[in-house]
Amino acid sequence: MNPRKSMTRCATVAALFVATTALAVPQAMATTSPKSTVAASSSVDRTARPLGKLGALTDLVIERLNVSDDVAASKFGTDSPIEDPAREEQVLEQVRTQAAAAGVDPDIAATFFRDQITASKVVQKGLFARWTAHPEEAPTTRPDLGQIRQQLDRLTTELLQELKNTEELRSRPVSCTVQLALATGSGAVLERLDTLHRQGLRVATDSVCRFPEATGRG
C-alpha cells in the first residue's frame, strides 16, 4: 500500500476515534442547548477549554468565530456588506507583517487567517438568513464595530503566538489531525456550538494541519 495513503487512512481513523471520544465528555460539559447568537463572545464561559495540544489554538479560533455574531449584529439592517475584499486583503497584509515579526511563516499565517475570514463570513451569512426569516430573533442592539476590531486585533496577536507555539506539532500530519479532532470536538461541545457555528469551526481550522513542508512524519 502507498505509504502516504496508509498514513492518511490511519490519521483519518485516529481522528474519528478521538472526535467521538471528545463528544463523550462528562455530562456537565455535554449540554445540548444552542449557544447564543448575539454577543456570544462576551457570554461564553471561558473557564473550560478545548482538550489536547491544540486546545489553546482552538479556543482562540472559537472566540474569534463568536465575535462574528457581533459583526453580523453590527451590520444587519445597514448598508455594510458582509463581503469586503479590500478590507480583507488589508487585514491579510497586516497579518503577514505581524507573522514575520513573531517568527511565523507569513504564507502559513495568511492561509490560516484567510480561513478565519471565510469562517466569519459563513457565520454572518447564516445569521443574516436566520434573522431575515425570523425577524423576532434579530438583534435589538448594534455592537460598535470599532470595539469589535479591537477584539479582532487582540485575537490576531494571540493566534499568531499559538501558531508559533504549535509549529512543531502542526508539521506532523497524523499527530496534528488527531489533536485537532480532539480540540474541535471538545470545543464544540464546551461552547455549545450550533450547526452554523460548527460549520464555521470546520472552515476556520481547515489549514491547521496542512503545512506546505510537511514530510509525512507522525
Side-chain angles (χ1 to χ4, degrees):
M1 179 180 292
N2 185 294
R4 182 174 295 276
K5 289 183 178 179
S6 177
M7 179 193 71
T8 302
R9 179 175 298 178
C10 290
T12 302
V13 172
L16 288 173
F17 173 78
V18 174
T20 302
T21 303
L23 293 177
V25 291
Q27 185 62 34
M29 297 165 57
T31 176
T32 58
S33 301
K35 63 180 286 300
S36 171
T37 56
V38 180
S41 58
S42 61
S43 63
V44 169
D45 177 8
R46 311 304 303 177
T47 58
R49 306 285 179 172
L51 305 176
K53 296 178 180 179
L54 289 173
L57 177 65
T58 300
D59 188 58
L60 291 170
V61 168
I62 293 174
E63 185 177 353
R64 193 185 193 284
L65 195 64
N66 285 337
V67 174
S68 302
D69 294 19
D70 291 338
V71 175
S74 73
K75 294 179 179 180
F76 187 69
T78 74
D79 294 331
S80 297
I82 292 176
E83 301 275 357
D84 189 349
R87 170 66 182 169
E88 292 168 16
E89 290 306 315
Q90 181 183 25
V91 169
L92 291 175
E93 279 305 308
Q94 292 172 348
V95 163
R96 286 179 176 276
T97 300
Q98 288 182 252
V104 178
D105 185 302
D107 290 336
I108 290 173
T111 298
F112 174 80
F113 276 91
R114 190 177 294 279
D115 286 347
Q116 307 316 300
I117 292 170
T118 301
S120 178
K121 292 190 290 187
V122 166
V123 170
Q124 291 179 58
K125 290 176 182 178
L127 290 176
F128 269 39
R130 182 183 304 174
W131 295 337
T132 300
H134 303 281
E136 72 280 4
E137 297 182 11
T140 56
T141 59
R142 198 178 305 285
D144 181 78
L145 200 53
Q147 293 182 358
I148 292 171
R149 284 178 175 168
Q150 289 180 5
Q151 285 183 275
L152 293 175
D153 288 344
R154 172 183 60 80
L155 287 167
T156 295
T157 300
E158 294 180 7
L159 282 163
L160 284 171
Q161 184 59 53
E162 278 307 312
L163 287 180
K164 180 64 176 176
N165 292 345
T166 58
E167 189 173 68
E168 183 178 352
L169 171 63
R170 291 184 298 103
S171 70
R172 303 197 301 269
V174 175
S175 300
C176 183
T177 300
V178 171
Q179 288 295 324
L180 184 62
L182 175 62
T184 56
S186 60
V189 173
L190 282 165
E191 304 294 342
R192 298 179 293 174
L193 299 186
D194 59 14
T195 300
L196 174 62
H197 291 77
R198 286 174 186 250
Q199 179 185 357
L201 180 58
R202 286 193 295 272
V203 173
T205 55
D206 181 61
S207 64
V208 168
C209 295
R210 288 196 290 111
F211 249 57
E213 66 270 28
T215 60
R217 293 173 294 157

Coordinates of all heavy atoms in Angstrom, one line a residue, residues 4-94:
R4 N 1.9 7.0 1.8 CA 1.2 8.3 2.0 C -0.3 8.0 2.2 O -1.0 8.6 3.1 CB 1.4 9.3 0.9 CG 0.7 10.6 1.1 CD 1.0 11.6 0.0 NE 2.4 11.9 0.0 CZ 3.0 12.8 0.8 NH1 2.2 13.5 1.6 NH2 4.2 13.1 0.7
K5 N -0.9 7.1 1.4 CA -2.3 6.7 1.6 C -2.5 6.0 2.9 O -3.5 6.2 3.6 CB -2.7 5.8 0.4 CG -2.9 6.5 -0.9 CD -3.4 5.6 -2.0 CE -3.6 6.3 -3.3 NZ -4.0 5.4 -4.4
S6 N -1.6 5.1 3.3 CA -1.7 4.4 4.6 C -1.7 5.4 5.7 O -2.4 5.3 6.7 CB -0.5 3.5 4.7 OG -0.6 2.8 6.0
M7 N -0.8 6.4 5.7 CA -0.7 7.4 6.7 C -1.9 8.2 6.8 O -2.5 8.5 7.9 CB 0.5 8.4 6.4 CG 0.7 9.5 7.4 SD 1.8 10.8 6.9 CE 0.8 11.5 5.6
T8 N -2.5 8.6 5.6 CA -3.7 9.4 5.6 C -4.9 8.6 6.2 O -5.7 9.1 7.0 CB -4.1 9.8 4.2 OG1 -3.0 10.6 3.7 CG2 -5.3 10.7 4.2
R9 N -5.0 7.3 5.8 CA -6.0 6.4 6.4 C -5.9 6.3 7.9 O -6.9 6.4 8.6 CB -6.0 5.1 5.7 CG -7.1 4.1 6.2 CD -7.1 2.8 5.4 NE -7.4 3.0 4.0 CZ -7.4 2.1 3.1 NH1 -7.1 0.8 3.5 NH2 -7.7 2.3 1.8
C10 N -4.7 6.1 8.4 CA -4.5 6.0 9.8 C -4.9 7.3 10.5 O -5.5 7.2 11.6 CB -3.0 5.6 10.1 SG -2.6 4.0 9.6
A11 N -4.5 8.4 9.9 CA -4.8 9.7 10.5 C -6.3 9.9 10.6 O -6.9 10.4 11.6 CB -4.2 10.8 9.7
T12 N -7.0 9.5 9.5 CA -8.5 9.7 9.5 C -9.2 8.8 10.5 O -10.1 9.3 11.3 CB -9.0 9.3 8.1 OG1 -8.4 10.1 7.1 CG2 -10.5 9.5 8.0
V13 N -8.8 7.5 10.6 CA -9.3 6.6 11.6 C -9.1 7.1 13.0 O -10.0 7.2 13.9 CB -8.8 5.2 11.5 CG1 -9.2 4.3 12.6 CG2 -9.2 4.6 10.1
A14 N -7.8 7.5 13.3 CA -7.5 8.1 14.6 C -8.3 9.3 14.9 O -8.8 9.5 16.1 CB -6.0 8.3 14.7
A15 N -8.4 10.2 14.0 CA -9.1 11.4 14.2 C -10.6 11.2 14.5 O -11.2 11.8 15.4 CB -9.0 12.4 13.0
L16 N -11.2 10.3 13.8 CA -12.6 9.9 14.0 C -12.8 9.3 15.4 O -13.7 9.6 16.1 CB -13.1 8.9 12.9 CG -13.3 9.5 11.5 CD1 -13.6 8.4 10.6 CD2 -14.4 10.5 11.6
F17 N -11.8 8.5 15.8 CA -11.9 7.9 17.2 C -11.8 9.0 18.2 O -12.6 9.0 19.2 CB -10.8 6.9 17.3 CG -10.7 6.4 18.8 CD1 -11.6 5.4 19.2 CD2 -9.7 6.9 19.6 CE1 -11.5 4.9 20.5 CE2 -9.6 6.4 20.9 CZ -10.5 5.4 21.4
V18 N -10.8 9.9 18.1 CA -10.7 10.9 19.1 C -11.8 11.9 19.1 O -12.3 12.3 20.1 CB -9.3 11.7 18.8 CG1 -9.2 12.9 19.7 CG2 -8.2 10.8 19.0
A19 N -12.4 12.2 17.9 CA -13.5 13.1 17.8 C -14.7 12.5 18.6 O -15.4 13.2 19.3 CB -13.9 13.4 16.4
T20 N -14.9 11.2 18.4 CA -16.0 10.5 19.0 C -15.8 10.5 20.5 O -16.7 10.8 21.3 CB -16.1 9.1 18.5 OG1 -16.3 9.1 17.1 CG2 -17.3 8.4 19.2
T21 N -14.6 10.3 20.9 CA -14.3 10.3 22.4 C -14.5 11.7 23.0 O -15.0 11.8 24.1 CB -12.8 9.9 22.6 OG1 -12.6 8.6 22.0 CG2 -12.5 9.8 24.1
A22 N -14.1 12.7 22.2 CA -14.3 14.1 22.7 C -15.7 14.4 23.0 O -16.0 15.2 23.9 CB -13.7 15.1 21.7
L23 N -16.6 13.9 22.2 CA -18.0 14.1 22.4 C -18.6 13.4 23.5 O -19.7 13.6 23.9 CB -18.8 13.8 21.1 CG -18.4 14.6 19.9 CD1 -19.2 14.1 18.6 CD2 -18.8 16.1 20.1
A24 N -17.8 12.5 24.1 CA -18.3 11.7 25.3 C -17.8 12.3 26.6 O -17.6 11.6 27.5 CB -17.9 10.2 25.1
V25 N -17.5 13.6 26.6 CA -17.1 14.3 27.8 C -18.1 14.3 28.8 O -19.3 14.0 28.5 CB -16.7 15.7 27.4 CG1 -15.4 15.8 26.6 CG2 -17.8 16.5 26.8
P26 N -17.8 14.6 30.1 CA -18.7 14.5 31.2 C -20.0 15.3 30.9 O -20.0 16.2 30.2 CB -18.0 15.1 32.4 CG -16.5 14.8 32.0 CD -16.4 14.9 30.6
Q27 N -21.1 14.8 31.5 CA -22.4 15.4 31.2 C -22.5 16.9 31.5 O -23.2 17.6 30.9 CB -23.5 14.7 32.1 CG -24.9 15.1 31.8 CD -25.3 14.8 30.4 OE1 -24.9 13.8 29.8 NE2 -26.1 15.7 29.8
A28 N -21.7 17.3 32.5 CA -21.7 18.8 32.8 C -21.2 19.6 31.6 O -21.6 20.7 31.5 CB -20.7 19.0 34.0
M29 N -20.4 19.0 30.7 CA -20.0 19.7 29.5 C -20.9 19.5 28.4 O -21.0 20.3 27.5 CB -18.6 19.1 29.1 CG -17.5 19.4 30.1 SD -16.0 18.3 29.8 CE -15.6 18.8 28.1
A30 N -21.6 18.4 28.3 CA -22.3 18.0 27.1 C -23.8 18.4 27.1 O -24.7 17.6 26.9 CB -22.3 16.4 27.0
T31 N -24.0 19.7 27.3 CA -25.3 20.2 27.2 C -25.7 20.4 25.8 O -24.9 20.7 24.9 CB -25.4 21.6 27.9 OG1 -26.7 22.1 27.7 CG2 -24.4 22.5 27.4
T32 N -27.0 20.2 25.4 CA -27.4 20.3 24.1 C -28.0 21.7 23.7 O -28.5 21.9 22.6 CB -28.5 19.2 23.8 OG1 -29.6 19.4 24.7 CG2 -27.9 17.8 23.9
S33 N -28.1 22.6 24.7 CA -28.6 23.9 24.5 C -27.7 24.6 23.5 O -26.5 24.7 23.6 CB -28.7 24.7 25.8 OG -29.5 24.0 26.7
P34 N -28.3 25.3 22.4 CA -27.5 26.0 21.5 C -26.9 27.3 22.1 O -27.5 27.8 23.0 CB -28.6 26.4 20.4 CG -29.9 26.4 21.1 CD -29.8 25.4 22.2
K35 N -25.8 27.7 21.5 CA -25.1 28.9 22.0 C -26.0 30.1 21.6 O -26.7 30.1 20.6 CB -23.7 29.0 21.4 CG -23.7 29.2 19.9 CD -22.3 29.3 19.4 CE -21.7 30.6 19.7 NZ -22.5 31.7 19.1
S36 N -25.8 31.2 22.3 CA -26.4 32.5 22.0 C -25.8 32.9 20.7 O -24.7 32.8 20.4 CB -26.2 33.5 23.0 OG -26.6 34.8 22.6
T37 N -26.7 33.6 19.8 CA -26.2 34.0 18.5 C -25.9 35.5 18.5 O -25.6 36.1 17.5 CB -27.2 33.7 17.4 OG1 -28.5 34.3 17.8 CG2 -27.4 32.2 17.3
V38 N -26.0 36.2 19.6 CA -25.7 37.6 19.7 C -24.8 37.9 20.9 O -25.1 37.4 22.0 CB -27.0 38.5 19.8 CG1 -26.6 40.0 19.8 CG2 -27.9 38.2 18.6
A39 N -23.8 38.6 20.7 CA -22.8 39.0 21.8 C -22.3 37.7 22.4 O -22.0 37.7 23.6 CB -23.5 39.9 22.8
A40 N -22.1 36.7 21.6 CA -21.7 35.4 22.2 C -20.3 35.5 22.8 O -20.0 34.8 23.8 CB -21.7 34.3 21.1
S41 N -19.4 36.3 22.3 CA -18.1 36.3 22.8 C -18.0 36.8 24.2 O -17.0 36.5 24.9 CB -17.2 37.2 21.9 OG -17.8 38.5 21.8
S42 N -19.0 37.6 24.6 CA -18.9 38.1 26.0 C -19.7 37.2 27.0 O -19.6 37.4 28.2 CB -19.5 39.5 26.0 OG -20.8 39.5 25.6
S43 N -20.5 36.3 26.5 CA -21.3 35.5 27.4 C -20.8 34.1 27.6 O -21.3 33.3 28.4 CB -22.7 35.4 26.8 OG -22.7 34.7 25.5
V44 N -19.8 33.6 26.8 CA -19.3 32.3 26.9 C -18.5 32.1 28.2 O -17.7 33.0 28.5 CB -18.4 31.9 25.6 CG1 -17.7 30.6 25.8 CG2 -19.3 31.9 24.4
D45 N -18.6 30.9 28.8 CA -17.8 30.6 30.0 C -16.4 30.2 29.5 O -16.3 29.2 28.9 CB -18.5 29.5 30.7 CG -17.7 29.0 31.9 OD1 -16.7 29.7 32.3 OD2 -18.1 28.0 32.5
R46 N -15.4 31.0 29.9 CA -14.1 30.8 29.4 C -13.3 30.0 30.4 O -12.1 29.9 30.3 CB -13.4 32.1 29.1 CG -14.1 33.1 28.3 CD -14.5 32.6 26.9 NE -13.4 32.1 26.1 CZ -13.6 31.5 25.0 NH1 -14.7 31.3 24.5 NH2 -12.5 31.1 24.3
T47 N -13.9 29.4 31.4 CA -13.1 28.7 32.4 C -12.7 27.3 31.9 O -11.7 26.7 32.4 CB -13.9 28.5 33.8 OG1 -15.2 27.9 33.5 CG2 -14.2 29.9 34.3
A48 N -13.5 26.7 31.1 CA -13.2 25.4 30.5 C -12.7 25.6 29.1 O -13.1 26.5 28.4 CB -14.5 24.5 30.4
R49 N -11.7 24.8 28.7 CA -11.0 24.9 27.5 C -11.1 23.6 26.6 O -11.2 22.5 27.2 CB -9.5 25.3 27.7 CG -9.3 26.5 28.6 CD -9.6 27.8 27.9 NE -9.4 28.9 28.8 CZ -9.5 30.2 28.4 NH1 -9.7 30.5 27.1 NH2 -9.3 31.2 29.2
P50 N -11.0 23.8 25.3 CA -10.9 22.6 24.5 C -9.7 21.7 24.9 O -8.7 22.2 25.4 CB -10.7 23.1 23.1 CG -11.4 24.5 23.1 CD -11.0 25.0 24.5
L51 N -9.8 20.4 24.7 CA -8.8 19.5 25.1 C -7.6 19.3 24.1 O -7.7 19.7 23.0 CB -9.5 18.1 25.3 CG -10.7 18.0 26.2 CD1 -11.3 16.6 26.2 CD2 -10.3 18.4 27.6
G52 N -6.5 18.8 24.6 CA -5.4 18.5 23.8 C -4.4 19.6 23.5 O -4.5 20.7 24.0
K53 N -3.4 19.2 22.7 CA -2.3 20.1 22.5 C -2.6 21.3 21.6 O -1.9 22.3 21.5 CB -1.1 19.3 21.9 CG -0.6 18.3 22.9 CD 0.6 17.5 22.2 CE 1.1 16.4 23.2 NZ 2.2 15.6 22.6
L54 N -3.8 21.2 20.9 CA -4.2 22.3 20.1 C -5.4 23.0 20.7 O -6.1 23.7 20.1 CB -4.6 21.8 18.6 CG -3.4 21.4 17.8 CD1 -3.9 20.7 16.5 CD2 -2.5 22.6 17.5
G55 N -5.6 22.7 22.0 CA -6.8 23.2 22.7 C -6.7 24.8 22.8 O -7.7 25.4 22.6
A56 N -5.6 25.3 23.1 CA -5.4 26.8 23.2 C -5.7 27.5 21.9 O -6.4 28.5 21.8 CB -4.1 27.1 23.8
L57 N -5.1 26.9 20.8 CA -5.3 27.5 19.5 C -6.8 27.4 19.1 O -7.4 28.4 18.6 CB -4.5 26.7 18.4 CG -4.7 27.2 17.0 CD1 -4.2 28.6 16.8 CD2 -3.9 26.2 16.0
T58 N -7.4 26.3 19.3 CA -8.8 26.1 19.0 C -9.7 27.0 19.8 O -10.7 27.5 19.3 CB -9.3 24.6 19.2 OG1 -8.5 23.8 18.4 CG2 -10.7 24.4 18.9
D59 N -9.4 27.2 21.1 CA -10.1 28.1 22.0 C -10.2 29.5 21.4 O -11.2 30.2 21.3 CB -9.5 28.1 23.3 CG -10.4 28.9 24.4 OD1 -11.5 28.5 24.5 OD2 -9.9 29.8 24.9
L60 N -9.0 30.0 20.9 CA -8.9 31.3 20.3 C -9.7 31.4 19.0 O -10.4 32.4 18.7 CB -7.5 31.7 20.1 CG -6.7 32.0 21.3 CD1 -5.2 32.1 21.0 CD2 -7.1 33.2 22.0
V61 N -9.7 30.3 18.2 CA -10.4 30.2 16.9 C -11.9 30.3 17.2 O -12.6 31.1 16.5 CB -10.1 28.9 16.2 CG1 -11.1 28.7 15.0 CG2 -8.7 28.9 15.6
I62 N -12.4 29.6 18.2 CA -13.8 29.7 18.6 C -14.2 31.1 19.1 O -15.2 31.6 18.8 CB -14.1 28.6 19.6 CG1 -14.0 27.2 19.0 CG2 -15.6 28.8 20.2 CD1 -14.2 26.1 20.0
E63 N -13.3 31.7 19.9 CA -13.5 33.0 20.4 C -13.7 34.0 19.2 O -14.6 34.8 19.2 CB -12.4 33.5 21.3 CG -12.7 34.8 22.0 CD -11.7 35.3 23.0 OE1 -10.8 34.5 23.3 OE2 -11.7 36.4 23.4
R64 N -12.8 33.9 18.2 CA -12.9 34.7 17.1 C -14.2 34.5 16.3 O -14.8 35.4 15.8 CB -11.7 34.5 16.2 CG -11.5 35.6 15.1 CD -10.4 35.4 14.2 NE -10.0 36.5 13.4 CZ -10.7 36.9 12.3 NH1 -11.8 36.3 11.9 NH2 -10.3 38.0 11.6
L65 N -14.5 33.2 16.2 CA -15.7 32.8 15.5 C -17.0 33.4 16.2 O -17.9 33.9 15.5 CB -15.9 31.3 15.4 CG -16.9 30.7 14.5 CD1 -16.5 31.0 13.0 CD2 -16.9 29.2 14.7
N66 N -17.0 33.4 17.5 CA -18.1 34.0 18.2 C -18.2 35.5 18.0 O -19.3 36.1 18.1 CB -17.9 33.7 19.7 CG -18.2 32.3 20.1 OD1 -19.0 31.6 19.4 ND2 -17.7 31.8 21.2
V67 N -17.0 36.2 17.8 CA -17.1 37.6 17.5 C -17.8 37.9 16.2 O -18.4 39.0 16.0 CB -15.6 38.2 17.5 CG1 -15.6 39.6 17.0 CG2 -15.0 38.1 18.8
S68 N -17.9 36.9 15.3 CA -18.6 37.1 14.1 C -20.1 37.3 14.3 O -20.7 38.0 13.5 CB -18.5 35.8 13.2 OG -17.1 35.5 13.0
D69 N -20.6 36.9 15.5 CA -22.0 37.2 15.8 C -22.2 38.6 16.0 O -23.2 39.2 15.5 CB -22.4 36.4 17.1 CG -22.4 34.9 16.9 OD1 -21.8 34.4 16.0 OD2 -23.1 34.2 17.7
D70 N -21.2 39.3 16.7 CA -21.3 40.7 16.9 C -21.1 41.5 15.6 O -21.7 42.5 15.4 CB -20.3 41.1 18.0 CG -20.6 40.6 19.4 OD1 -21.8 40.3 19.6 OD2 -19.7 40.5 20.2
V71 N -20.2 41.0 14.8 CA -20.0 41.6 13.5 C -21.3 41.6 12.7 O -21.7 42.6 12.1 CB -18.9 40.9 12.7 CG1 -18.8 41.5 11.3 CG2 -17.5 41.0 13.4
A72 N -22.0 40.5 12.7 CA -23.2 40.3 11.9 C -24.3 41.3 12.5 O -25.0 42.0 11.8 CB -23.7 38.9 12.0
A73 N -24.3 41.4 13.9 CA -25.3 42.2 14.5 C -25.1 43.7 14.2 O -26.0 44.5 14.1 CB -25.3 42.0 16.0
S74 N -23.8 44.0 14.1 CA -23.4 45.4 13.8 C -23.8 45.8 12.3 O -24.0 47.0 12.0 CB -22.0 45.7 14.0 OG -21.2 45.1 13.0
K75 N -23.8 44.8 11.4 CA -24.1 45.1 10.0 C -25.5 44.9 9.6 O -26.0 45.5 8.6 CB -23.2 44.2 9.2 CG -21.7 44.5 9.3 CD -20.9 43.5 8.4 CE -19.4 43.7 8.4 NZ -18.7 42.8 7.6
F76 N -26.2 44.0 10.3 CA -27.6 43.6 9.9 C -28.5 44.9 9.8 O -28.6 45.7 10.8 CB -28.2 42.6 10.8 CG -29.5 42.0 10.4 CD1 -29.5 41.2 9.3 CD2 -30.7 42.3 11.0 CE1 -30.7 40.6 8.8 CE2 -31.9 41.8 10.6 CZ -31.9 40.9 9.5
G77 N -29.2 45.0 8.7 CA -30.1 46.1 8.5 C -29.4 47.4 8.1 O -30.1 48.5 8.1
T78 N -28.1 47.3 7.8 CA -27.4 48.5 7.3 C -26.9 48.3 5.9 O -27.1 47.2 5.3 CB -26.2 48.8 8.2 OG1 -25.2 47.9 8.0 CG2 -26.6 48.8 9.7
D79 N -26.2 49.3 5.4 CA -25.6 49.1 4.0 C -24.2 48.4 4.1 O -23.6 48.2 3.1 CB -25.4 50.5 3.4 CG -26.8 51.1 3.1 OD1 -27.7 50.3 2.8 OD2 -26.9 52.3 3.0
S80 N -23.7 48.1 5.3 CA -22.4 47.5 5.4 C -22.4 46.0 4.9 O -23.2 45.2 5.3 CB -22.0 47.4 6.9 OG -21.8 48.7 7.4
P81 N -21.6 45.7 3.9 CA -21.6 44.4 3.3 C -20.9 43.4 4.1 O -20.0 43.7 4.9 CB -20.9 44.6 2.0 CG -19.9 45.7 2.3 CD -20.6 46.6 3.3
I82 N -21.3 42.1 4.0 CA -20.5 41.0 4.6 C -19.2 40.8 3.8 O -18.1 40.7 4.5 CB -21.4 39.7 4.6 CG1 -22.6 39.8 5.5 CG2 -20.5 38.5 5.0 CD1 -23.5 38.6 5.5
E83 N -19.3 40.9 2.5 CA -18.1 40.7 1.7 C -17.4 42.1 1.6 O -18.0 43.1 1.1 CB -18.4 40.2 0.3 CG -19.1 38.8 0.3 CD -18.1 37.7 0.3 OE1 -16.9 38.0 0.3 OE2 -18.6 36.6 0.4
D84 N -16.1 42.2 1.9 CA -15.3 43.4 1.8 C -13.9 43.0 1.4 O -13.0 43.1 2.2 CB -15.4 44.2 3.1 CG -14.8 45.6 3.0 OD1 -14.2 45.9 1.9 OD2 -14.9 46.4 3.9
P85 N -13.7 42.7 0.1 CA -12.4 42.2 -0.4 C -11.2 43.1 -0.1 O -10.2 42.7 0.3 CB -12.6 42.0 -1.9 CG -14.1 41.8 -2.0 CD -14.7 42.7 -1.0
A86 N -11.5 44.4 -0.2 CA -10.4 45.4 0.0 C -9.9 45.3 1.5 O -8.7 45.3 1.8 CB -10.8 46.8 -0.4
R87 N -10.9 45.3 2.4 CA -10.6 45.2 3.8 C -9.9 43.9 4.2 O -9.0 43.9 5.0 CB -11.9 45.4 4.6 CG -11.8 45.1 6.1 CD -10.9 46.1 6.8 NE -10.8 45.8 8.3 CZ -10.0 46.3 9.1 NH1 -9.2 47.3 8.7 NH2 -9.9 46.0 10.3
E88 N -10.4 42.8 3.6 CA -9.8 41.5 3.8 C -8.4 41.5 3.4 O -7.5 40.9 4.2 CB -10.6 40.4 3.1 CG -12.1 40.3 3.6 CD -12.9 39.4 2.7 OE1 -12.3 38.7 1.8 OE2 -14.2 39.5 2.9
E89 N -8.0 42.0 2.3 CA -6.6 42.0 1.8 C -5.8 42.9 2.7 O -4.6 42.5 3.0 CB -6.5 42.4 0.3 CG -7.1 41.4 -0.6 CD -6.5 40.1 -0.5 OE1 -5.2 40.0 -0.4 OE2 -7.2 39.1 -0.5
Q90 N -6.3 43.9 3.2 CA -5.6 44.8 4.1 C -5.3 44.1 5.4 O -4.2 44.1 5.9 CB -6.4 46.1 4.4 CG -5.8 47.0 5.4 CD -6.6 48.2 5.7 OE1 -7.9 48.1 5.7 NE2 -6.0 49.3 6.0
V91 N -6.3 43.3 5.9 CA -6.1 42.5 7.1 C -5.0 41.5 6.9 O -4.1 41.3 7.7 CB -7.4 41.9 7.6 CG1 -7.1 40.8 8.6 CG2 -8.4 42.9 8.1
L92 N -5.0 40.8 5.7 CA -4.1 39.8 5.5 C -2.6 40.3 5.3 O -1.7 39.7 5.7 CB -4.5 39.0 4.2 CG -5.7 38.1 4.4 CD1 -6.1 37.5 3.1 CD2 -5.5 37.0 5.5
E93 N -2.5 41.5 4.8 CA -1.2 42.1 4.7 C -0.7 42.5 6.0 O 0.5 42.3 6.3 CB -1.3 43.4 3.8 CG -1.3 43.1 2.3 CD 0.0 42.2 1.9 OE1 1.1 42.6 2.2 OE2 -0.2 41.2 1.2
Q94 N -1.5 42.9 6.9 CA -1.1 43.2 8.3 C -0.7 41.9 9.0 O 0.3 41.9 9.8 CB -2.3 43.9 9.0 CG -2.6 45.3 8.5 CD -3.8 45.9 9.2 OE1 -4.6 45.2 9.8 NE2 -4.0 47.2 9.0

